[in-house]
Amino acid sequence: MGKTRTVANLWAERLASYGVKRFFGVPGGDCSLDIIQAAADHGIDFILTRSETAAGIMAATTGELTGTPGVVMTSRGPGIANAMNGVAYAALDRAPLMVLADAHERSNDHVSHQRFDQEAMVRPLVKAHDYLGGADAGRRLDKLAEVALTAPQGAVYLELRGESIRAETSELVQASQPPSPETAVGLPSKMQELLDKAERPLIVAGLQACETAAAAMLRKLVSEWNVPLVVTYKAKGVVPDDDDRMIGYYIGGVAEEPWLKQADLIILYGFDAVEIPPHKWRYSVPTIEITANPFDRNIISADAVAVGPLAELGAALLKLKVNSKWPADFCTNAKRAIKARARVGDGGPISPPMLVDAAMEAAPANSRITLDAGAHMIPVLHFWNSTEPRQTLISRGDATMGFALPAAIASSLAEPERPVIGFTGDGGLMMCAGELGTAAQYQCNLVLIVFNDETLTLIGARQRRRQLPNAGVDFSPTDFSKVAEGFGCMGLRVERPEQLKPALASAFSAKGPVVVDVQINPAAYHEQLISLRG
C-alpha cells in the first residue's frame, strides 16, 4: 500500500518527477494555496507574476527551454480569462504548457458568480483537458503531460476543485514514457526522383528544427549537401547566422523572393504551418517536406511528404544523392543583398539599426535575446548573430506583443548564469510593464532594451501606405527609465547617440534587471518594411 497524501501533493510529486522546477501565476479562488504549498513540499517554486497573460508566456517559454511542461496557475473566472493569450502562445508557437484554473465545486451548481464554461473557452487552444482528482488522478495527469509534450507540442488544461485536490490518495503512478522512436524511417521514393532532377536545391527550416538532434542533423545536411539555407524567425540559430550557407530569413516577403526563386527544388525541414504569413505560398517549384506532424491548415501542398522524428527523417534524407550546382558566390551575394535591404532608410539621431549594432557590440558572449512583435524586430532579426537553437526567442505563430519581457524573465530563471536581453517596443512594454516588478522581485539578470518611438509603427506604416490620415496609432510620451526605477529596476534613458554606448556598458555590467529606454526615430522602418516585405 502506498503512502497516503493529498491529490494536490500527488500533482506536485508527478511534476517534480518530470523535472519541473517552478511554476507561474496569480493566486486566487479556493485551490491556489494548496497547490503552492504542495509544490513547495516537492521543491517546486511558485513565481508570483503581475498578470496571468505574462504568467502563461513565462510558463510556456520555460517549457520550450527545459523540455518539461511549463505550468501556469490561475483563479477561476477573470484569472483564466486573462491567461488566454499565454495559452494562445503555447498553442500557436508549439510550447508545452499545463494550465491550472480553479473551478466551482460540483456542489455549488446554484452559484452564478464568476461562472462560465471555462472548458469551452479554452478548448480551441488546448490539446486535452481534465480535472485534478479521482481514483486515477496521477495516471490521467501523466497522460496530460504526455499530450502536451507530443508533437505538435502545446497546452493542456487541468481544472481544480478543493473537494478533489484535498482528498487523500495512495495512488502509485510511474511517469509515462514517450513512445520509442522507430529504428528506421522510410522516405517516399518520390524524394530521390525530385532530388535527381534538381540542380539548385534549397532548404527552408522551421521551428521543429530547434530540437537538439534535429538541429544537429540539419547542420549535417547543409554542410554535406552544400546547399543554401533559409530559416524562419523561430528557427533562428539552428544553423549559425554566420554560416556561409545561411542566406537569411523566410518572412514571406520580397527580400528573399529573388533568391528562393532561383531554386528548382525546395526542401521544407520542420517548417510549421503557423510560421507562414497570411498570403499564398510564392513558389511553384517542386517541394519536399519532412515534418514531425501533419497540419490541419497548410497552404503548401508538397510533392513528397514524410512524417516522423525530424532528426531520423533528416538522417534518411542525408543518404539520398544530391546534385547541387549552385554558383560558388550565390550564398554570399544573397546574404549581402538581404542584409542591405534591411539597412535601407535612415533617421537620426538614433536609428533602429544603430541601436542594434551598439547592443551587439556591448552584449556579453552567448547572450540569449527575446523579441517582441513590432517593427523593431526587423533590424534585430536580420543583424543579431545567433549560433544555436532558441538563442533567440520570439512569438511567430501567435505573433503577440508583450512577449519579450516575460520571456526574458523565464529565461533568466531557467538559466540564471546566461545573459538575456529583451528587445521591445514601447507598445509591447506597456502591455506588460507590471512584470518589471516580477523581474525585480526575483532579481532576474536581464537587460530590457526599449525602442521608444511613441507609436505603433507597423500599424502606422500600413495606415500611411493606404494614404489614410494619421489617427489612433500614436502614444503620449513615456519615460520607461523612471517606470523601471519605480518597480525597483535600474533605469537608463538614452536620447542622444553619445549616450548609447555608456548606457549599454552600464546595463551589461549591472546585476539584476535593467531597462534601457532609447528614443528612436522610426523614419527608417517604413522603407525597411517595403524593402523586406514588399
Side-chain angles (χ1 to χ4, degrees):
M1 192 71 175
K3 179 183 176 182
T4 299
R5 72 278 206 214
T6 66
V7 170
N9 269 280
L10 174 66
W11 168 84
E13 176 188 301
R14 304 309 307 131
L15 262 66
S17 76
Y18 307 147
V20 173
K21 303 296 185 185
R22 63 192 57 84
F23 70 117
F24 304 81
V26 180
D30 182 44
C31 300
S32 298
L33 299 180
D34 298 86
I35 292 296
I36 291 171
Q37 185 57 55
D41 290 343
H42 289 82
I44 300 174
D45 296 329
F46 174 64
I47 306 300
L48 173 63
T49 65
R50 273 51 179 177
S51 74
E52 293 88 353
T53 290
I57 291 172
M58 290 180 204
T61 302
T62 299
E64 288 182 280
L65 293 176
T66 64
T68 62
V71 182
V72 59
M73 181 188 70
T74 79
S75 66
R76 63 177 171 249
I80 183 62
N82 279 333
M84 289 307 294
N85 192 43
V87 181
Y89 171 76
L92 293 173
D93 282 273
R94 315 306 195 197
L97 176 68
M98 182 176 289
V99 183
L100 280 65
D102 266 300
H104 285 283
E105 304 294 339
R106 299 192 188 279
S107 59
N108 287 347
D109 284 344
H110 60 286
V111 174
S112 297
H113 177 66
Q114 290 188 330
R115 181 183 289 278
F116 57 85
D117 191 338
Q118 295 178 180
E119 284 190 3
M121 181 180 69
V122 303
R123 194 173 297 126
L125 291 172
V126 299
K127 299 177 67 180
H129 56 84
D130 207 333
Y131 79 98
L132 183 58
D136 60 348
R139 181 187 63 79
R140 290 185 289 106
L141 181 63
D142 285 342
K143 181 62 177 176
L144 274 184
E146 181 182 327
V147 170
L149 291 166
T150 299
Q153 295 184 340
V156 295
Y157 176 57
L158 190 64
E159 283 201 336
L160 309 176
R161 297 182 180 88
E163 61 192 15
S164 298
I165 70 167
R166 296 183 190 116
E168 292 189 343
T169 179
S170 57
E171 181 185 4
L172 294 175
V173 182
Q174 296 298 317
S176 298
Q177 297 297 318
S180 299
E182 299 290 335
T183 56
V185 174
L187 298 177
S189 59
K190 179 76 170 176
M191 289 191 179
Q192 184 62 75
E193 295 175 18
L194 293 170
L195 286 166
D196 287 341
K197 296 176 182 177
E199 295 185 346
R200 296 184 306 281
L202 179 145
I203 297 175
V204 179
L207 67 82
Q208 294 173 6
C210 289
E211 189 269 326
T212 302
M217 183 52 62
L218 175 62
R219 294 182 185 207
K220 286 185 179 180
L221 272 171
V222 171
S223 176
E224 295 190 21
W225 280 6
N226 193 28
V227 296
L229 171 74
V230 172
V231 303
T232 64
Y233 292 164
K234 293 289 285 191
K236 183 176 173 68
V238 293
V239 169
D241 285 329
D242 56 6
D243 187 282
D244 290 342
R245 291 159 290 265
M246 164 64 183
I247 67 172
Y249 301 95
Y250 172 79
I251 64 174
V254 298
E256 75 273 22
E257 184 177 11
W259 307 98
L260 266 67
K261 282 193 170 180
Q262 294 184 46
D264 57 9
L265 176 67
I266 293 177
I267 299 126
L268 303 176
Y269 185 95
F271 184 72
D272 196 293
V274 297
E275 302 181 273
I276 304 172
H279 55 64
K280 292 183 178 180
W281 178 247
R282 297 173 183 260
Y283 309 103
S284 57
V285 298
T287 305
I288 288 172
E289 180 174 22
I290 64 170
T291 178
N293 54 269
F295 309 104
D296 293 333
R297 294 183 292 274
N298 195 352
I299 66 172
I300 301 172
S301 180
D303 298 88
V305 180
V307 179
L310 203 62
E312 294 186 34
L313 291 172
L317 200 60
L318 188 59
K319 296 176 182 177
L320 301 184
K321 296 178 181 178
V322 175
N323 181 30
S324 179
K325 294 183 179 179
W326 284 101
D329 59 353
F330 174 82
C331 292
T332 300
N333 291 339
K335 180 181 288 190
R336 184 183 297 120
I338 292 172
K339 282 186 176 291
R341 279 180 172 269
R343 282 204 182 269
V344 299
D346 198 0
I350 302 175
S351 68
M354 182 191 302
L355 174 53
V356 176
D357 290 342
M360 281 195 298
E361 183 179 345
N366 201 38
S367 294
R368 173 177 286 127
I369 66 170
T370 67
L371 191 54
D372 238 63
H376 64 279
M377 71 183 183
I378 293 171
V380 178
L381 282 166
H382 283 84
F383 303 138
W384 197 272
N385 187 49
S386 292
T387 59
E388 61 183 274
R390 299 191 178 96
Q391 194 175 358
T392 296
L393 300 177
I394 186 172
S395 174
R396 181 55 172 165
D398 193 29
T400 181
M401 295 170 67
F403 172 82
L405 175 57
I409 291 171
S411 175
S412 178
L413 292 172
E415 299 180 40
E417 301 307 314
R418 182 166 198 168
V420 58
I421 307 161
F423 290 100
T424 183
D426 46 354
L429 180 54
M430 283 188 275
M431 293 182 179
C432 61
E435 302 310 324
L436 292 171
T438 306
Q441 180 171 345
Y442 295 97
Q443 277 301 288
C444 297
N445 288 315
L446 63 87
V447 174
L448 186 71
I449 297 175
V450 187
F451 290 68
N452 190 347
D453 57 13
E454 300 172 3
T455 186
L456 293 170
T457 308
L458 281 178
I459 308 304
R462 188 179 305 166
Q463 189 178 64
R464 178 178 170 184
R465 292 182 69 179
R466 292 182 59 190
Q467 298 182 335
L468 295 171
N470 179 268
V473 295
D474 293 333
F475 296 117
S476 57
T478 302
D479 186 336
F480 290 104
S481 65
K482 292 181 180 178
V483 173
E485 290 172 353
F487 279 109
C489 304
M490 179 178 178
L492 300 168
R493 176 84 167 177
V494 175
E495 297 175 344
R496 301 187 305 276
E498 64 269 21
Q499 298 173 323
L500 189 54
K501 189 172 182 178
L504 290 170
S506 296
F508 288 121
S509 63
K511 296 292 184 182
V514 182
V515 174
V516 184
D517 180 18
V518 184
Q519 287 292 109
I520 288 292
N521 185 340
Y525 285 137
H526 182 69
E527 290 184 57
Q528 288 173 352
L529 289 168
I530 294 174
S531 176
L532 291 168
R533 293 185 176 181

